[in-house]
Amino acid sequence: MSIFTPKNQIRLTNVAVVRMKKAGNRFEIACYKNKVMNWRAGAEKDLDEVLQTHSVFVNVSKGQVAKKDDLNKAFGTDDLTEICKQILAKGELQVSDRERHSQLETMFRDIANIVAEKCVNPETKRPYTVNLIERAMKDIHYSVKDGKSAKQQALEVIRQLKETMEIQRAHMRLRLVLPAKEAKRLKEKLKPLLQVVESEDFNEELEMVCLVDPGCFREIDELIRCETKGRGSFEVLSLKDVEEGDEKL
C-alpha cells in the first residue's frame, strides 16, 4: 500500500524551526536542534550540519514548501541555499519555553566555566570555583545573550565582575629572545605589555621570562616579528600562572 504525498509537502521530525516574515509572507527553514546557535556563534561552519534540508517552507510542521514566486519577491532570488543563510542569520528561532530555559541554563554554566578557567584572584593567584563565579554572575544579574558565543560573553562577564570582586585574567608565562642590536630599544616598547619580568639574561642576545596578560599576546607576537624581522622569538612556557587549589568563600 502506497501513500500519496503532494510534491509541495515534506515531512520532517526532531526539528528546530527558524522563522522570518518578509514581503507579507512567512518563511521557515528546518534545522537540527542545538545547531542554530552554534552556526550563529561561528562554532559550526558546515551548513549541511545545520539544515535538515535546503528547502524553504511556509510551514515546516505541515511540510508546506514556499512557492518560487514568493521567494523571488521576498529575497530577490530563488537560490534556496542563499535564502536559507539569510533566514538562519536574521530569522527567529522557534523554541518552547522549556527548551529555551534549558538552553539559557546550559549557556550560563558554559560562560561560568570559561571565566573560572581563565581567571584568578589577583591577590592569591588562585582560581575561583565555577559555583562561585555562577553566584557572582547572578549577583550582577547577568543575562545570557542570543547570537553570542560563550567565549565572547565570558570576556564581557570578566569586565563586569571586575567592578564587584577581585578578579583578573590569569597571566601567561612567556620566554622572549631578542637580538642584541634591537634588545634595548625593543625592551622599552615591550615594557607596557609585560606585567612581571621574572628573569633577564643578556649574553649574545637578551632572554627574558615574563608574565603577560593573555589579551596582549598578539601584540607582543606582532611587535617581535616586525621589529626583529624574524630574528627574535618567543615561546609560551605556561598558559596560566596560578597557585594550587581553588579560591573559595
Side-chain angles (χ1 to χ4, degrees):
M1 176 179 166
S2 62
I3 299 173
F4 174 71
T5 304
K7 284 187 177 178
N8 71 334
Q9 288 197 349
I10 299 173
R11 296 290 182 185
L12 297 161
T13 57
N14 194 28
V15 179
V17 175
V18 181
R19 180 182 298 160
M20 176 186 279
K21 290 183 179 178
K22 196 165 185 176
N25 288 306
R26 183 176 80 176
F27 300 100
E28 297 180 346
I29 56 174
C31 304
Y32 292 103
K33 289 192 173 185
N34 305 322
K35 289 292 186 176
V36 176
M37 298 305 292
N38 290 348
W39 172 271
R40 289 178 171 177
E44 178 59 69
K45 306 289 186 185
D46 187 351
L47 194 61
D48 290 328
E49 291 291 320
V50 182
L51 298 176
Q52 292 214 14
T53 169
H54 285 244
S55 299
V56 178
F57 301 81
V58 290
N59 190 314
V60 168
S61 63
K62 293 181 180 178
Q64 295 174 347
V65 181
K67 294 176 182 175
K68 202 171 185 178
D69 288 347
D70 291 339
L71 293 174
N72 270 311
K73 182 183 173 185
F75 298 95
T77 180
D78 58 7
D79 183 332
L80 294 177
T81 299
E82 187 53 43
I83 294 169
C84 284
K85 285 182 179 178
Q86 287 190 44
I87 297 174
L88 196 53
K90 299 177 183 177
E92 184 180 335
L93 178 62
Q94 307 299 302
V95 293
S96 68
D97 289 342
R98 185 178 174 183
E99 281 180 310
R100 180 164 178 78
H101 182 70
S102 175
Q103 287 174 357
L104 292 175
E105 276 193 338
T106 300
M107 178 67 89
F108 191 89
R109 188 157 184 84
D110 287 346
I111 294 167
N113 268 297
I114 294 170
V115 174
E117 186 181 299
K118 291 184 176 296
C119 294
V120 294
N121 180 324
E123 293 182 2
T124 64
K125 294 290 189 292
R126 291 188 174 188
Y128 286 106
T129 63
V130 175
N131 286 340
L132 192 148
I133 296 297
E134 284 186 326
R135 289 204 301 275
M137 287 168 65
K138 288 172 183 173
D139 287 344
I140 63 171
H141 307 292
Y142 185 79
S143 298
V144 174
K145 298 171 181 64
D146 287 336
K148 281 192 171 185
S149 70
K151 187 174 181 180
Q152 288 173 317
Q153 294 189 67
L155 295 175
E156 176 59 31
V157 167
I158 293 168
R159 280 193 288 272
Q160 291 188 30
L161 289 181
K162 282 182 177 178
E163 297 175 12
T164 61
M165 62 187 287
E166 293 294 323
I167 189 170
Q168 71 174 31
R169 295 278 299 273
H171 292 142
M172 300 171 70
R173 181 176 280 104
L174 303 179
R175 177 186 287 119
L176 313 181
V177 180
L178 311 175
K181 284 186 178 179
E182 288 93 356
K184 188 175 180 181
R185 176 178 55 83
L186 192 49
K187 182 184 172 185
E188 288 304 309
K189 287 190 174 185
L190 286 167
K191 197 176 283 184
L193 305 175
L194 310 180
Q195 295 292 327
V196 178
V197 176
E198 293 185 328
S199 67
E200 282 187 49
D201 186 22
F202 194 95
N203 289 318
E204 295 180 2
E205 51 196 6
L206 175 60
E207 183 179 305
M208 301 166 62
V209 174
C210 50
L211 300 178
V212 304
D213 188 297
C216 297
F217 181 84
R218 285 186 183 176
E219 195 175 345
I220 292 170
D221 177 28
E222 201 171 296
L223 194 59
I224 291 175
R225 279 192 293 107
C226 294
E227 295 285 336
T228 68
K229 295 182 171 58
R231 294 193 306 278
S233 66
F234 77 97
E235 66 173 312
V236 179
L237 299 179
S238 64
L239 289 172
K240 293 200 302 181
D241 174 46
V242 296
E243 297 292 334
E244 289 298 318
D246 289 328
E247 190 72 15
K248 299 186 175 82
L249 284 179

